[in-house]
Amino acid sequence: MNLEQIKQSAFKEIEESRDLKSLEGLRIKYLGRKSQLVEILHSLKDVPLNQRQKIGPVANVLKKELDELIKNRKAELREDEGSKKIDLSRPAQKISRGHFHPLTIAEEKICRIFLTMNFSVVEGPEIENEFYNFDALNIPPNHPARDLWNTLWLKTRTDADKTQIDADKTRTKADSVRENLGRNQRQSALLLRTHTSPMQIRYMETHQPPFQIIVPGRVFRYEATDASHEINFYQVEGLMVGSRVSLANFKFIIETFLKKFFGPNIKFRFRPSYFPFVEPGLEVDVWFKDKWLEVMGAGMVARKVFDAVRYNPDQVQGFAFGLGLDRLVKIKYNLPDIRLLYSGDLRFIKQF
Ligand code: FA5
């Protein structure tokens, strides 16, 4: 074979090679010590000078070309074989999926249970005014019962301006607090709702009995935190009003709810208590870790509350309750501390 023939057959075979092993065979065939090309190069020293000058450069160029061609083809074949090596029997990588927060899961579950008992779900504003959060619920200004709820008051624009003016006039703080109080009573100051009970008033103002509703929502209190207290937490208010709604109905509804939420073996008790907007008032405790944990306040809606919404207290009666969602979640998932729910710690959240 002359150089041109070697070139043609080498190029063709290298291009057509299908695996690294046969390519190596071709390398030996065309560039190995005993290959024709290398033999030609070796024998150059024996040929006359004029021929050597003609053949030498062409043979050397061809050697370089073949080297290059084999190198490139090798790289291509390696890549092909690499992709063939995917092991389809290997277990797939786990795809991590997002999910709802435990408080959301519990809220939905609670809503579903009450929906099956014919309750409707409504919601109300987180920013409330003093009238709905307190006055209409029979907690007048300066009444000691207001201390039950440590309130986060909102500074309105005029409050802020006024503080500045007061500061300018170097009046005492007590002076401005007293003035603010007087004005708030007239204007109904804004606050972050301390409970979901204001929705009792808002709902009754715009609806006529009979009805039964629940109101899930976020509430806020200015108080020290611990394993069962947060400054912001969730409640679900309940309100059922009709001509003959009784405390027995309340007890039945709550017992049914607790058994559906926790299972039939849940241990709970009703205990007398006081809230200005119910008469009689009670609280519900659930047995958790060898202790009673309070989970809700409740009672029969007070006559004064019906007065505030212009219902006739001689014609309607009803019960109301406000349950602590965080506490129910604490019991259900056996949590050491409700503050974990707000920690944003993924090691905690991912367990649900
Ligand atoms: C109330 O807020 C009343 N509005 C409940 C009510 C409604 C009574 C209707 C009568 C009629 P109380 O402050 O006790 O009551 O709170 C109710 C529930 O919220 C408590 O039983 C508890 O489960 C939960 N709770 C109260 N404070 C906190 C807090 N700081 N952190 C987490 N949960 C709380």
Side-chain angles (χ1 to χ4, degrees), residues 149 195 197 200 221 223 228-230 233 235 237 275 277-278 283 294-299 320-322 324 327 338:
W149 296 276
H195 50 181
S197 298
Q200 292 184 28
R221 289 188 197 177
E223 61 186 27
S228 344
H229 291 84
E230 250 297 2
F233 59 102
Q235 289 189 335
E237 194 80 7
F275 297 94
F277 34 94
V278 287
E283 281 177 315
E294 176 207 315
V295 297
M296 94 177 66
F321 62 85
R327 301 258 177 107
I338 61 165

PDB file of all heavy atoms in Angstrom, residues 149 195 197 200 221 223 228-230 233 235 237 275 277-278 283 294-299 320-322 324 327 338, ligand 1:
ATOM      1  N   TRP A 149     -56.229  40.012  79.311  1.00  0.00           N
ATOM      2  CA  TRP A 149     -55.607  40.008  77.992  1.00  0.00           C
ATOM      3  C   TRP A 149     -54.612  41.161  77.887  1.00  0.00           C
ATOM      4  O   TRP A 149     -55.009  42.319  77.768  1.00  0.00           O
ATOM      5  CB  TRP A 149     -56.669  40.128  76.898  1.00  0.00           C
ATOM      6  CG  TRP A 149     -57.581  38.945  76.889  1.00  0.00           C
ATOM      7  CD1 TRP A 149     -57.343  37.753  76.261  1.00  0.00           C
ATOM      8  CD2 TRP A 149     -58.855  38.821  77.530  1.00  0.00           C
ATOM      9  NE1 TRP A 149     -58.386  36.901  76.494  1.00  0.00           N
ATOM     10  CE2 TRP A 149     -59.329  37.513  77.255  1.00  0.00           C
ATOM     11  CE3 TRP A 149     -59.638  39.670  78.302  1.00  0.00           C
ATOM     12  CZ2 TRP A 149     -60.543  37.049  77.727  1.00  0.00           C
ATOM     13  CZ3 TRP A 149     -60.849  39.199  78.783  1.00  0.00           C
ATOM     14  CH2 TRP A 149     -61.284  37.904  78.485  1.00  0.00           C
ATOM     15  N   HIS A 195     -57.972  37.864  71.084  1.00  0.00           N
ATOM     16  CA  HIS A 195     -58.699  36.597  70.956  1.00  0.00           C
ATOM     17  C   HIS A 195     -59.590  36.671  69.714  1.00  0.00           C
ATOM     18  O   HIS A 195     -59.688  37.735  69.083  1.00  0.00           O
ATOM     19  CB  HIS A 195     -59.521  36.272  72.215  1.00  0.00           C
ATOM     20  CG  HIS A 195     -60.400  37.397  72.716  1.00  0.00           C
ATOM     21  ND1 HIS A 195     -61.182  37.298  73.829  1.00  0.00           N
ATOM     22  CD2 HIS A 195     -60.629  38.662  72.240  1.00  0.00           C
ATOM     23  CE1 HIS A 195     -61.841  38.425  74.033  1.00  0.00           C
ATOM     24  NE2 HIS A 195     -61.523  39.252  73.085  1.00  0.00           N
ATOM     25  N   SER A 197     -62.770  36.181  69.829  1.00  0.00           N
ATOM     26  CA  SER A 197     -64.142  36.507  70.259  1.00  0.00           C
ATOM     27  C   SER A 197     -64.762  37.751  69.596  1.00  0.00           C
ATOM     28  O   SER A 197     -65.993  37.792  69.462  1.00  0.00           O
ATOM     29  CB  SER A 197     -64.189  36.641  71.781  1.00  0.00           C
ATOM     30  OG  SER A 197     -63.831  35.416  72.384  1.00  0.00           O
ATOM     31  N   GLN A 200     -67.503  37.107  67.229  1.00  0.00           N
ATOM     32  CA  GLN A 200     -68.874  36.834  67.697  1.00  0.00           C
ATOM     33  C   GLN A 200     -69.739  38.063  67.418  1.00  0.00           C
ATOM     34  O   GLN A 200     -70.839  37.966  66.875  1.00  0.00           O
ATOM     35  CB  GLN A 200     -68.898  36.596  69.214  1.00  0.00           C
ATOM     36  CG  GLN A 200     -68.223  35.327  69.688  1.00  0.00           C
ATOM     37  CD  GLN A 200     -68.410  35.152  71.195  1.00  0.00           C
ATOM     38  OE1 GLN A 200     -69.403  35.628  71.769  1.00  0.00           O
ATOM     39  NE2 GLN A 200     -67.471  34.480  71.839  1.00  0.00           N
ATOM     40  N   ARG A 221     -50.787  38.501  71.996  1.00  0.00           N
ATOM     41  CA  ARG A 221     -50.802  38.973  73.384  1.00  0.00           C
ATOM     42  C   ARG A 221     -49.426  39.418  73.815  1.00  0.00           C
ATOM     43  O   ARG A 221     -48.425  38.787  73.458  1.00  0.00           O
ATOM     44  CB  ARG A 221     -51.301  37.879  74.322  1.00  0.00           C
ATOM     45  CG  ARG A 221     -52.782  37.651  74.108  1.00  0.00           C
ATOM     46  CD  ARG A 221     -53.381  36.734  75.103  1.00  0.00           C
ATOM     47  NE  ARG A 221     -54.661  36.268  74.579  1.00  0.00           N
ATOM     48  CZ  ARG A 221     -55.423  35.392  75.181  1.00  0.00           C
ATOM     49  NH1 ARG A 221     -55.032  34.861  76.338  1.00  0.00           N
ATOM     50  NH2 ARG A 221     -56.567  35.042  74.643  1.00  0.00           N
ATOM     51  N   GLU A 223     -47.237  39.161  76.343  1.00  0.00           N
ATOM     52  CA  GLU A 223     -46.975  38.450  77.598  1.00  0.00           C
ATOM     53  C   GLU A 223     -45.744  37.565  77.478  1.00  0.00           C
ATOM     54  O   GLU A 223     -45.262  37.277  76.376  1.00  0.00           O
ATOM     55  CB  GLU A 223     -48.202  37.618  78.025  1.00  0.00           C
ATOM     56  CG  GLU A 223     -48.610  36.548  77.041  1.00  0.00           C
ATOM     57  CD  GLU A 223     -49.911  35.864  77.450  1.00  0.00           C
ATOM     58  OE1 GLU A 223     -50.749  36.483  78.132  1.00  0.00           O
ATOM     59  OE2 GLU A 223     -50.098  34.705  77.066  1.00  0.00           O
ATOM     60  N   SER A 228     -46.173  26.617  76.887  1.00  0.00           N
ATOM     61  CA  SER A 228     -47.557  26.632  76.377  1.00  0.00           C
ATOM     62  C   SER A 228     -48.074  28.034  76.086  1.00  0.00           C
ATOM     63  O   SER A 228     -49.276  28.208  75.868  1.00  0.00           O
ATOM     64  CB  SER A 228     -48.538  25.963  77.347  1.00  0.00           C
ATOM     65  OG  SER A 228     -47.901  25.204  78.298  1.00  0.00           O
ATOM     66  N   HIS A 229     -47.193  29.039  76.100  1.00  0.00           N
ATOM     67  CA  HIS A 229     -47.610  30.414  75.804  1.00  0.00           C
ATOM     68  C   HIS A 229     -46.699  31.050  74.766  1.00  0.00           C
ATOM     69  O   HIS A 229     -45.491  31.021  74.910  1.00  0.00           O
ATOM     70  CB  HIS A 229     -47.556  31.287  77.061  1.00  0.00           C
ATOM     71  CG  HIS A 229     -48.597  30.937  78.077  1.00  0.00           C
ATOM     72  ND1 HIS A 229     -48.428  29.943  78.984  1.00  0.00           N
ATOM     73  CD2 HIS A 229     -49.834  31.465  78.305  1.00  0.00           C
ATOM     74  CE1 HIS A 229     -49.515  29.850  79.749  1.00  0.00           C
ATOM     75  NE2 HIS A 229     -50.395  30.755  79.350  1.00  0.00           N
ATOM     76  N   GLU A 230     -47.342  31.628  73.755  1.00  0.00           N
ATOM     77  CA  GLU A 230     -46.608  32.405  72.758  1.00  0.00           C
ATOM     78  C   GLU A 230     -47.196  33.810  72.738  1.00  0.00           C
ATOM     79  O   GLU A 230     -48.296  34.021  73.255  1.00  0.00           O
ATOM     80  CB  GLU A 230     -46.770  31.775  71.373  1.00  0.00           C
ATOM     81  CG  GLU A 230     -45.512  31.131  70.808  1.00  0.00           C
ATOM     82  CD  GLU A 230     -44.355  32.084  70.554  1.00  0.00           C
ATOM     83  OE1 GLU A 230     -44.469  33.306  70.841  1.00  0.00           O
ATOM     84  OE2 GLU A 230     -43.313  31.607  70.098  1.00  0.00           O
ATOM     85  N   PHE A 233     -50.381  33.407  68.594  1.00  0.00           N
ATOM     86  CA  PHE A 233     -50.803  32.016  68.519  1.00  0.00           C
ATOM     87  C   PHE A 233     -52.145  31.948  67.795  1.00  0.00           C
ATOM     88  O   PHE A 233     -52.592  32.954  67.236  1.00  0.00           O
ATOM     89  CB  PHE A 233     -50.862  31.386  69.926  1.00  0.00           C
ATOM     90  CG  PHE A 233     -51.795  32.074  70.895  1.00  0.00           C
ATOM     91  CD1 PHE A 233     -53.050  31.550  71.181  1.00  0.00           C
ATOM     92  CD2 PHE A 233     -51.412  33.240  71.546  1.00  0.00           C
ATOM     93  CE1 PHE A 233     -53.903  32.162  72.086  1.00  0.00           C
ATOM     94  CE2 PHE A 233     -52.271  33.868  72.449  1.00  0.00           C
ATOM     95  CZ  PHE A 233     -53.513  33.331  72.716  1.00  0.00           C
ATOM     96  N   GLN A 235     -56.293  30.669  67.563  1.00  0.00           N
ATOM     97  CA  GLN A 235     -57.498  30.201  68.246  1.00  0.00           C
ATOM     98  C   GLN A 235     -58.534  29.788  67.205  1.00  0.00           C
ATOM     99  O   GLN A 235     -58.454  30.192  66.040  1.00  0.00           O
ATOM    100  CB  GLN A 235     -58.105  31.322  69.104  1.00  0.00           C
ATOM    101  CG  GLN A 235     -57.296  31.655  70.341  1.00  0.00           C
ATOM    102  CD  GLN A 235     -58.034  32.611  71.286  1.00  0.00           C
ATOM    103  OE1 GLN A 235     -58.908  33.370  70.866  1.00  0.00           O
ATOM    104  NE2 GLN A 235     -57.671  32.567  72.560  1.00  0.00           N
ATOM    105  N   GLU A 237     -62.574  30.139  67.319  1.00  0.00           N
ATOM    106  CA  GLU A 237     -63.764  30.547  68.056  1.00  0.00           C
ATOM    107  C   GLU A 237     -64.940  29.706  67.566  1.00  0.00           C
ATOM    108  O   GLU A 237     -64.994  29.331  66.390  1.00  0.00           O
ATOM    109  CB  GLU A 237     -64.048  32.032  67.750  1.00  0.00           C
ATOM    110  CG  GLU A 237     -65.044  32.679  68.674  1.00  0.00           C
ATOM    111  CD  GLU A 237     -64.400  33.085  69.998  1.00  0.00           C
ATOM    112  OE1 GLU A 237     -63.165  32.976  70.121  1.00  0.00           O
ATOM    113  OE2 GLU A 237     -65.141  33.502  70.911  1.00  0.00           O
ATOM    114  N   PHE A 275     -65.460  34.397  82.303  1.00  0.00           N
ATOM    115  CA  PHE A 275     -65.176  35.342  81.219  1.00  0.00           C
ATOM    116  C   PHE A 275     -66.336  36.321  81.212  1.00  0.00           C
ATOM    117  O   PHE A 275     -67.496  35.901  81.371  1.00  0.00           O
ATOM    118  CB  PHE A 275     -65.104  34.642  79.854  1.00  0.00           C
ATOM    119  CG  PHE A 275     -63.993  33.619  79.743  1.00  0.00           C
ATOM    120  CD1 PHE A 275     -64.241  32.278  80.018  1.00  0.00           C
ATOM    121  CD2 PHE A 275     -62.709  34.000  79.375  1.00  0.00           C
ATOM    122  CE1 PHE A 275     -63.229  31.335  79.929  1.00  0.00           C
ATOM    123  CE2 PHE A 275     -61.682  33.059  79.281  1.00  0.00           C
ATOM    124  CZ  PHE A 275     -61.945  31.727  79.567  1.00  0.00           C
ATOM    125  N   PHE A 277     -67.976  37.738  78.995  1.00  0.00           N
ATOM    126  CA  PHE A 277     -68.970  37.650  77.912  1.00  0.00           C
ATOM    127  C   PHE A 277     -69.758  36.352  77.931  1.00  0.00           C
ATOM    128  O   PHE A 277     -70.492  36.050  76.982  1.00  0.00           O
ATOM    129  CB  PHE A 277     -68.304  37.860  76.546  1.00  0.00           C
ATOM    130  CG  PHE A 277     -66.896  37.314  76.467  1.00  0.00           C
ATOM    131  CD1 PHE A 277     -66.653  36.045  75.979  1.00  0.00           C
ATOM    132  CD2 PHE A 277     -65.819  38.087  76.892  1.00  0.00           C
ATOM    133  CE1 PHE A 277     -65.360  35.547  75.911  1.00  0.00           C
ATOM    134  CE2 PHE A 277     -64.514  37.594  76.829  1.00  0.00           C
ATOM    135  CZ  PHE A 277     -64.286  36.333  76.342  1.00  0.00           C
ATOM    136  N   VAL A 278     -69.598  35.538  78.975  1.00  0.00           N
ATOM    137  CA  VAL A 278     -70.405  34.315  79.095  1.00  0.00           C
ATOM    138  C   VAL A 278     -70.941  34.171  80.517  1.00  0.00           C
ATOM    139  O   VAL A 278     -70.364  34.676  81.468  1.00  0.00           O
ATOM    140  CB  VAL A 278     -69.597  33.043  78.721  1.00  0.00           C
ATOM    141  CG1 VAL A 278     -69.361  32.964  77.229  1.00  0.00           C
ATOM    142  CG2 VAL A 278     -68.291  32.980  79.493  1.00  0.00           C
ATOM    143  N   GLU A 283     -64.062  26.213  81.428  1.00  0.00           N
ATOM    144  CA  GLU A 283     -62.870  25.915  80.642  1.00  0.00           C
ATOM    145  C   GLU A 283     -62.798  24.409  80.436  1.00  0.00           C
ATOM    146  O   GLU A 283     -63.373  23.636  81.204  1.00  0.00           O
ATOM    147  CB  GLU A 283     -61.609  26.444  81.335  1.00  0.00           C
ATOM    148  CG  GLU A 283     -61.463  27.957  81.109  1.00  0.00           C
ATOM    149  CD  GLU A 283     -60.271  28.576  81.821  1.00  0.00           C
ATOM    150  OE1 GLU A 283     -60.042  28.274  82.996  1.00  0.00           O
ATOM    151  OE2 GLU A 283     -59.585  29.383  81.174  1.00  0.00           O
ATOM    152  N   GLU A 294     -55.027  23.250  79.960  1.00  0.00           N
ATOM    153  CA  GLU A 294     -56.206  24.009  79.532  1.00  0.00           C
ATOM    154  C   GLU A 294     -56.166  24.220  78.023  1.00  0.00           C
ATOM    155  O   GLU A 294     -55.152  24.667  77.496  1.00  0.00           O
ATOM    156  CB  GLU A 294     -56.193  25.354  80.267  1.00  0.00           C
ATOM    157  CG  GLU A 294     -57.294  26.289  79.856  1.00  0.00           C
ATOM    158  CD  GLU A 294     -56.865  27.738  80.081  1.00  0.00           C
ATOM    159  OE1 GLU A 294     -56.313  28.054  81.146  1.00  0.00           O
ATOM    160  OE2 GLU A 294     -57.086  28.531  79.154  1.00  0.00           O
ATOM    161  N   VAL A 295     -57.248  23.877  77.330  1.00  0.00           N
ATOM    162  CA  VAL A 295     -57.259  24.045  75.873  1.00  0.00           C
ATOM    163  C   VAL A 295     -58.331  25.007  75.370  1.00  0.00           C
ATOM    164  O   VAL A 295     -58.265  25.463  74.236  1.00  0.00           O
ATOM    165  CB  VAL A 295     -57.412  22.703  75.117  1.00  0.00           C
ATOM    166  CG1 VAL A 295     -56.238  21.778  75.395  1.00  0.00           C
ATOM    167  CG2 VAL A 295     -58.728  22.031  75.434  1.00  0.00           C
ATOM    168  N   MET A 296     -59.324  25.327  76.195  1.00  0.00           N
ATOM    169  CA  MET A 296     -60.329  26.269  75.682  1.00  0.00           C
ATOM    170  C   MET A 296     -61.118  26.948  76.795  1.00  0.00           C
ATOM    171  O   MET A 296     -61.266  26.409  77.891  1.00  0.00           O
ATOM    172  CB  MET A 296     -61.259  25.583  74.681  1.00  0.00           C
ATOM    173  CG  MET A 296     -62.543  25.012  75.179  1.00  0.00           C
ATOM    174  SD  MET A 296     -63.576  24.324  73.852  1.00  0.00           S
ATOM    175  CE  MET A 296     -62.627  22.937  73.256  1.00  0.00           C
ATOM    176  N   GLY A 297     -61.572  28.187  76.503  1.00  0.00           N
ATOM    177  CA  GLY A 297     -62.511  28.889  77.352  1.00  0.00           C
ATOM    178  C   GLY A 297     -63.860  28.838  76.666  1.00  0.00           C
ATOM    179  O   GLY A 297     -63.935  28.765  75.436  1.00  0.00           O
ATOM    180  N   ALA A 298     -64.960  28.887  77.458  1.00  0.00           N
ATOM    181  CA  ALA A 298     -66.274  28.736  76.837  1.00  0.00           C
ATOM    182  C   ALA A 298     -67.376  29.176  77.789  1.00  0.00           C
ATOM    183  O   ALA A 298     -67.115  29.585  78.923  1.00  0.00           O
ATOM    184  CB  ALA A 298     -66.490  27.276  76.446  1.00  0.00           C
ATOM    185  N   GLY A 299     -68.616  29.087  77.334  1.00  0.00           N
ATOM    186  CA  GLY A 299     -69.756  29.383  78.198  1.00  0.00           C
ATOM    187  C   GLY A 299     -70.986  29.732  77.393  1.00  0.00           C
ATOM    188  O   GLY A 299     -70.973  29.688  76.154  1.00  0.00           O
ATOM    189  N   ALA A 320     -70.623  29.830  73.304  1.00  0.00           N
ATOM    190  CA  ALA A 320     -69.435  30.260  72.569  1.00  0.00           C
ATOM    191  C   ALA A 320     -68.235  29.567  73.188  1.00  0.00           C
ATOM    192  O   ALA A 320     -68.255  29.202  74.360  1.00  0.00           O
ATOM    193  CB  ALA A 320     -69.269  31.776  72.657  1.00  0.00           C
ATOM    194  N   PHE A 321     -67.227  29.353  72.361  1.00  0.00           N
ATOM    195  CA  PHE A 321     -65.976  28.812  72.913  1.00  0.00           C
ATOM    196  C   PHE A 321     -64.807  29.357  72.117  1.00  0.00           C
ATOM    197  O   PHE A 321     -64.975  29.814  70.981  1.00  0.00           O
ATOM    198  CB  PHE A 321     -65.978  27.275  72.897  1.00  0.00           C
ATOM    199  CG  PHE A 321     -66.076  26.649  71.526  1.00  0.00           C
ATOM    200  CD1 PHE A 321     -64.945  26.439  70.747  1.00  0.00           C
ATOM    201  CD2 PHE A 321     -67.319  26.269  71.009  1.00  0.00           C
ATOM    202  CE1 PHE A 321     -65.037  25.864  69.491  1.00  0.00           C
ATOM    203  CE2 PHE A 321     -67.424  25.696  69.747  1.00  0.00           C
ATOM    204  CZ  PHE A 321     -66.281  25.488  68.987  1.00  0.00           C
ATOM    205  N   GLY A 322     -63.628  29.359  72.752  1.00  0.00           N
ATOM    206  CA  GLY A 322     -62.411  29.773  72.048  1.00  0.00           C
ATOM    207  C   GLY A 322     -61.323  28.779  72.388  1.00  0.00           C
ATOM    208  O   GLY A 322     -60.883  28.697  73.531  1.00  0.00           O
ATOM    209  N   GLY A 324     -57.552  26.906  71.949  1.00  0.00           N
ATOM    210  CA  GLY A 324     -56.160  27.233  71.603  1.00  0.00           C
ATOM    211  C   GLY A 324     -55.603  26.173  70.671  1.00  0.00           C
ATOM    212  O   GLY A 324     -55.341  25.044  71.069  1.00  0.00           O
ATOM    213  N   ARG A 327     -52.179  24.622  71.517  1.00  0.00           N
ATOM    214  CA  ARG A 327     -52.219  23.634  72.606  1.00  0.00           C
ATOM    215  C   ARG A 327     -52.703  22.287  72.081  1.00  0.00           C
ATOM    216  O   ARG A 327     -52.207  21.234  72.478  1.00  0.00           O
ATOM    217  CB  ARG A 327     -53.155  24.115  73.716  1.00  0.00           C
ATOM    218  CG  ARG A 327     -52.756  25.452  74.317  1.00  0.00           C
ATOM    219  CD  ARG A 327     -52.067  25.304  75.645  1.00  0.00           C
ATOM    220  NE  ARG A 327     -51.641  26.591  76.170  1.00  0.00           N
ATOM    221  CZ  ARG A 327     -52.228  27.221  77.187  1.00  0.00           C
ATOM    222  NH1 ARG A 327     -53.270  26.661  77.790  1.00  0.00           N
ATOM    223  NH2 ARG A 327     -51.768  28.379  77.607  1.00  0.00           N
ATOM    224  N   ILE A 338     -44.644  24.761  72.527  1.00  0.00           N
ATOM    225  CA  ILE A 338     -45.343  25.285  71.329  1.00  0.00           C
ATOM    226  C   ILE A 338     -44.471  26.276  70.562  1.00  0.00           C
ATOM    227  O   ILE A 338     -44.725  26.544  69.390  1.00  0.00           O
ATOM    228  CB  ILE A 338     -46.697  25.958  71.653  1.00  0.00           C
ATOM    229  CG1 ILE A 338     -46.527  27.160  72.566  1.00  0.00           C
ATOM    230  CG2 ILE A 338     -47.709  24.972  72.201  1.00  0.00           C
ATOM    231  CD1 ILE A 338     -47.756  28.059  72.609  1.00  0.00           C
TER     232      ILE A 338
HETATM  233  C1  FA5 B   1     -60.088  33.571  75.576  1.00  0.00           C
HETATM  234  O1  FA5 B   1     -59.276  34.059  74.778  1.00  0.00           O
HETATM  235  C2  FA5 B   1     -61.569  33.668  75.358  1.00  0.00           C
HETATM  236  N1  FA5 B   1     -61.838  34.543  74.232  1.00  0.00           N
HETATM  237  C3  FA5 B   1     -62.139  32.280  75.136  1.00  0.00           C
HETATM  238  C4  FA5 B   1     -63.626  32.239  75.157  1.00  0.00           C
HETATM  239  C5  FA5 B   1     -64.340  32.299  73.981  1.00  0.00           C
HETATM  240  C6  FA5 B   1     -64.318  32.142  76.378  1.00  0.00           C
HETATM  241  C7  FA5 B   1     -65.741  32.262  73.987  1.00  0.00           C
HETATM  242  C8  FA5 B   1     -65.691  32.116  76.392  1.00  0.00           C
HETATM  243  C9  FA5 B   1     -66.406  32.169  75.208  1.00  0.00           C
HETATM  244  P1  FA5 B   1     -58.247  32.489  77.054  1.00  0.00           P
HETATM  245  O2  FA5 B   1     -57.424  33.712  77.242  1.00  0.00           O
HETATM  246  O3  FA5 B   1     -58.318  31.551  78.193  1.00  0.00           O
HETATM  247  O4  FA5 B   1     -59.709  32.836  76.647  1.00  0.00           O
HETATM  248  O5  FA5 B   1     -57.659  31.708  75.786  1.00  0.00           O
HETATM  249  C10 FA5 B   1     -58.335  30.617  75.220  1.00  0.00           C
HETATM  250  C11 FA5 B   1     -57.371  29.493  74.906  1.00  0.00           C
HETATM  251  O6  FA5 B   1     -56.307  29.975  74.104  1.00  0.00           O
HETATM  252  C12 FA5 B   1     -56.676  28.931  76.140  1.00  0.00           C
HETATM  253  O7  FA5 B   1     -57.457  27.927  76.725  1.00  0.00           O
HETATM  254  C13 FA5 B   1     -55.419  28.365  75.575  1.00  0.00           C
HETATM  255  O8  FA5 B   1     -55.654  27.085  75.023  1.00  0.00           O
HETATM  256  C14 FA5 B   1     -55.100  29.312  74.464  1.00  0.00           C
HETATM  257  N2  FA5 B   1     -54.101  30.317  74.873  1.00  0.00           N
HETATM  258  C15 FA5 B   1     -54.271  31.371  75.687  1.00  0.00           C
HETATM  259  N3  FA5 B   1     -53.151  32.094  75.813  1.00  0.00           N
HETATM  260  C16 FA5 B   1     -52.223  31.485  75.020  1.00  0.00           C
HETATM  261  C17 FA5 B   1     -50.858  31.749  74.679  1.00  0.00           C
HETATM  262  N4  FA5 B   1     -50.216  32.811  75.162  1.00  0.00           N
HETATM  263  N5  FA5 B   1     -50.225  30.903  73.844  1.00  0.00           N
HETATM  264  C18 FA5 B   1     -50.865  29.834  73.322  1.00  0.00           C
HETATM  265  N6  FA5 B   1     -52.153  29.535  73.589  1.00  0.00           N
HETATM  266  C19 FA5 B   1     -52.830  30.349  74.417  1.00  0.00           C
END
